[in-house]
């Protein structure tokens, strides 16, 4: 990152406070560095994340704030070390504009408060992509691939049919999955089935429709950004099914029972492994008459690490 500043004025639309209202905003970008590419922005998508940051819903927004991270434009200037792109190329810039490039996470180091919807944009070539699927596409594609949601013939549920959701449906169908769309809006049924090619459409508030799909899905991609219940959806997963949350609700709540797993086959395999490898629990044996005391101690976490009642010898 160069410390030089540019004298060229840029025009963006910025939020000045938590109202999130955007209005014209003039500012200057840094000078184009040796590894930078400067682009003239022609298009920029709008994402729910723009709502989150312009309205400071997480509490880390800095104003004035120019949102936008699905940027497409034309290269107008390149640094001397740039070899992949040339002036006149159409390129895209997503959520990343720079990073340390060393650690495992390759963490973003450039402030998100100046991300985008403006007349010009300098970025290092490391983060230029020649595709417009810079947020919605990659947000659902990455976890779907990472969790092997690309196995033909398996079943996928997609919660929410917005920017992210419609891409999850498209990827699901391209992967050969049987796709069911869940939405609170019955009006989206036609577009889900006809336009996007989903196999089923379920109104998520209809309990009968939801119960009919109990334990039927291999995967769920949850793209809903508004607050919504999770247990009802998690009950639709098969044993060891995968639930991926890519939306942005303000909180995530579900009952622990939704996560309980472990059948007889796994239990037997676990017992066999423990026997073969001499893995035993640490226990404190008590008479049944001390059961109430044990419960009180358990509440106080005064046990290492498991009470076991000697029923046979203490009920004689």
């Amino acid at each position: 990152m160069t410390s030089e500043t540019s004298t060229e004025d840029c025009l963006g639309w910025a939020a000045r406070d938590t109202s999130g209202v955007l209005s014209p905003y003039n500012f200057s970008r840094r000078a184009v560095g040796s590894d930078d590419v400067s682009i003239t922005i022609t298009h920029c998508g709008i994402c729910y994340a723009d709502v989150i940051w312009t309205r400071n819903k997480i509490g880390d927004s800095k104003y004035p704030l120019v949102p936008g991270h699905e940027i497409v434009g034309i290269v107008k200037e390149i640094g001397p070390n740039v070899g992949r792109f040339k002036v006149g190329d159409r390129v895209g810039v997503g959520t990343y504009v720079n990073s340390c490039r060393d650690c495992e996470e390759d963490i973003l180091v450039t402030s998100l408060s100046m991300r985008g919807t403006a007349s010009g944009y300098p970025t290092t070539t490391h983060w230029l992509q020649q595709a417009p699927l810079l947020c919605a596409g990659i947000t659902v594609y990455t976890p779907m691939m990472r969790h092997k949601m690309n196995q033909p013939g398996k079943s996928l549920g997609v919660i929410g049919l917005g920017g992210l959701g419609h891409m999850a449906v498209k990827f699901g169908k391209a992967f050969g999955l049987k796709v069911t769309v869940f939405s609170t809006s019955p009006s989206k049924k036609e577009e889900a089935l006809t336009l996007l090619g989903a196999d089923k459409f379920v109104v998520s508030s209809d309990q009968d429709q939801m119960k009919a799909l109990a334990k039927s899905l291999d995967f769920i991609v949850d793209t809903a950004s508004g607050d919504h219940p999770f247990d009802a959806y998690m009950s639709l997963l098969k044993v060891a099914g995968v639930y991926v949350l890519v939306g942005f609700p303000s909180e995530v709540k579900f009952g622990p029972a939704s996560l309980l797993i472990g059948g007889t086959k796994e239990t037997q395999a676990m017992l066999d492994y423990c026997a073969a490898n001499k893995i035993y629990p640490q226990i404190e044996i008590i008479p049944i008459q001390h059961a109430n005391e044990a419960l009180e101690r358990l509440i106080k976490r005064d046990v290492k690490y498991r009470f076991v009642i000697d029923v046979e010898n203490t009920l004689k």
Side-chain angles (χ1 to χ4, degrees):
M1 297 286 290
T2 178
S3 60
E4 299 177 79
T5 58
S6 171
T7 57
E8 180 182 4
D9 287 332
C10 292
L11 172 63
W13 280 66
R16 268 62 172 202
D17 53 43
T18 57
S19 70
V21 175
L22 302 177
S23 59
Y25 172 63
N26 289 291
F27 61 100
S28 295
R29 297 288 190 187
R30 70 171 191 267
V32 176
S34 57
D35 296 308
D36 287 350
V37 169
S38 179
I39 70 174
T40 298
I41 297 173
T42 61
H43 300 83
C44 182
I46 295 178
C47 171
Y48 190 77
D50 299 325
V51 175
I52 291 170
W53 269 283
T54 54
R55 301 187 182 188
N56 198 27
K57 290 184 175 290
I58 295 180
D60 61 355
S61 299
K62 297 178 181 179
Y63 300 99
L65 187 151
V66 180
H69 54 275
E70 294 180 328
I71 300 166
V72 173
I74 307 296
V75 175
K76 65 176 181 178
E77 185 180 354
I78 62 175
N81 295 340
V82 175
R84 181 182 173 189
F85 299 97
K86 64 182 185 299
V87 173
D89 282 350
R90 180 173 293 277
V91 296
V93 183
T95 53
Y96 300 124
V97 293
N98 206 355
S99 75
C100 66
R101 306 183 204 167
D102 292 322
C103 67
E104 182 179 359
E105 294 84 2
D106 205 14
I107 296 174
L108 175 68
V109 296
T110 298
S111 169
L112 292 178
S113 65
M114 296 289 285
R115 290 187 297 171
T117 309
S119 57
Y121 199 98
T123 181
T124 56
T125 57
H126 187 69
W127 297 115
L128 283 180
Q129 299 167 299
Q130 293 179 327
L133 307 174
L134 302 170
C135 175
I138 196 63
T139 299
V140 295
Y141 179 83
T142 295
M144 290 179 76
M145 295 299 291
R146 185 171 295 163
H147 297 286
K148 297 179 173 57
M149 296 185 180
N150 59 344
Q151 303 171 51
K154 292 201 171 183
S155 54
L156 168 70
V158 177
I159 302 173
L161 195 62
L164 275 63
H166 89 288
M167 289 306 307
V169 174
K170 285 177 175 283
F171 285 131
K173 294 304 298 180
F175 294 150
L177 304 177
K178 298 175 182 177
V179 180
T180 299
V181 173
F182 297 88
S183 176
T184 57
S185 304
S187 61
K188 292 188 176 182
K189 179 177 181 178
E190 183 65 23
E191 59 191 82
L193 300 177
T194 304
L195 178 63
L196 300 175
D199 299 282
K200 292 181 182 178
F201 180 88
V202 172
V203 178
S204 54
S205 59
D206 188 319
Q207 294 186 9
D208 291 335
Q209 290 187 51
M210 295 288 284
K211 288 179 181 179
L213 293 177
K215 302 185 186 307
S216 67
L217 302 177
D218 295 291
F219 316 117
I220 291 178
V221 176
D222 185 347
T223 73
S225 288
D227 289 338
H228 56 285
F230 288 85
D231 290 303
Y233 293 113
M234 295 183 76
S235 70
L236 307 182
L237 285 172
K238 297 177 182 179
V239 173
V242 176
Y243 192 113
V244 169
L245 174 63
V246 293
F248 218 110
S250 63
E251 62 180 7
V252 176
K253 285 186 176 181
F254 53 85
S258 297
L259 301 177
L260 294 180
I261 60 172
T264 55
K265 289 183 179 179
E266 289 85 359
T267 300
Q268 186 62 59
M270 180 269 297
L271 291 171
D272 293 341
Y273 186 85
C274 288
N277 293 276
K278 295 182 170 55
I279 300 174
Y280 311 120
Q282 299 294 116
I283 64 172
E284 181 179 338
I285 298 177
I286 62 168
I288 196 168
Q289 291 83 359
H290 290 182
N292 288 316
E293 177 188 345
L295 290 174
E296 290 299 321
R297 287 179 57 193
L298 186 63
I299 294 172
K300 298 175 181 177
R301 302 174 185 171
D302 179 22
V303 55
K304 294 192 181 208
Y305 286 90
R306 202 70 158 187
F307 287 121
V308 175
I309 301 173
D310 186 352
V311 177
E312 181 181 13
N313 289 318
T314 57
L315 283 182
K316 288 181 181 179

